[in-house]
Amino acid sequence: MAHTATDPGRSTPTRGRWGLVVAAVLVQLALGAVYAWSVFNTPLQQEFGWAKWQAVLPFEVAIGTIFIGSLVGGRIQDRRGPRPVALGGGVLYAVGNMLASLTSSGDDLWLLVLTYGVLGGIGLGAAYITPIAMLAKWFPTGAA
């Protein structure tokens, strides 16, 4: 039996979508913090004696691993929905940032690349792809 949006007691798939838009914008704003990495370049060079390429490497790796998080997150999202992917990606990105703070010497570049770059980048990709992929479902053609 076919259901329509006018069936009593049945919610439409786009119900509450404007709240989701607000949440998606907040997620995107929070994840945009990755682009603030340039603020750390000079202090990292001065503190640890790194060359510019070394100070930029964690950011490059983070941006480079976004595709892994997007791929894995997209597959999980198809099976489980967007909320666990956005939450998991956000937590992974946050944990990567927190663990990056353990970098304490010039010999710890590998730690910064692994935590901020790889872990944070994968989390960033998973959380970033969620609102992008769901946009068409939240706002189907012809929906007001």
Side-chain angles (χ1 to χ4, degrees):
M1 178 164 113
H3 293 283
T4 64
T6 58
D7 286 348
R10 179 153 169 89
S11 64
T12 62
T14 57
R15 190 175 139 250
R17 63 187 167 175
W18 288 105
L20 294 173
V21 169
V22 171
V25 168
L26 292 174
V27 166
Q28 295 294 344
L29 285 172
L31 296 176
V34 71
Y35 298 109
W37 182 261
S38 61
V39 171
F40 301 118
N41 288 342
T42 301
L44 287 171
Q45 289 172 309
Q46 292 172 350
E47 179 70 23
F48 299 134
W50 289 344
K52 185 170 184 171
W53 72 267
Q54 290 171 304
V56 174
L57 186 62
F59 173 77
E60 290 175 346
V61 171
I63 297 302
T65 57
I66 285 175
F67 81 94
I68 296 170
S70 298
L71 178 69
V72 172
R75 300 222 180 231
I76 295 170
Q77 182 172 298
D78 289 342
R79 293 186 196 114
R80 304 234 180 212
R83 286 185 181 105
V85 177
L87 179 63
V91 167
L92 199 58
Y93 178 59
V95 167
N97 276 279
M98 287 186 274
L99 291 175
S101 72
L102 299 175
T103 303
S104 61
S105 75
D107 295 331
D108 289 342
L109 179 59
W110 67 270
L111 179 62
L112 198 54
V113 169
L114 183 65
T115 57
Y116 185 85
V118 177
L119 196 61
I122 291 171
L124 182 68
Y128 183 81
I129 197 65
T130 303
I132 307 290
M134 295 306 297
L135 186 61
K137 294 177 183 175
W138 293 339
F139 290 90
T141 306

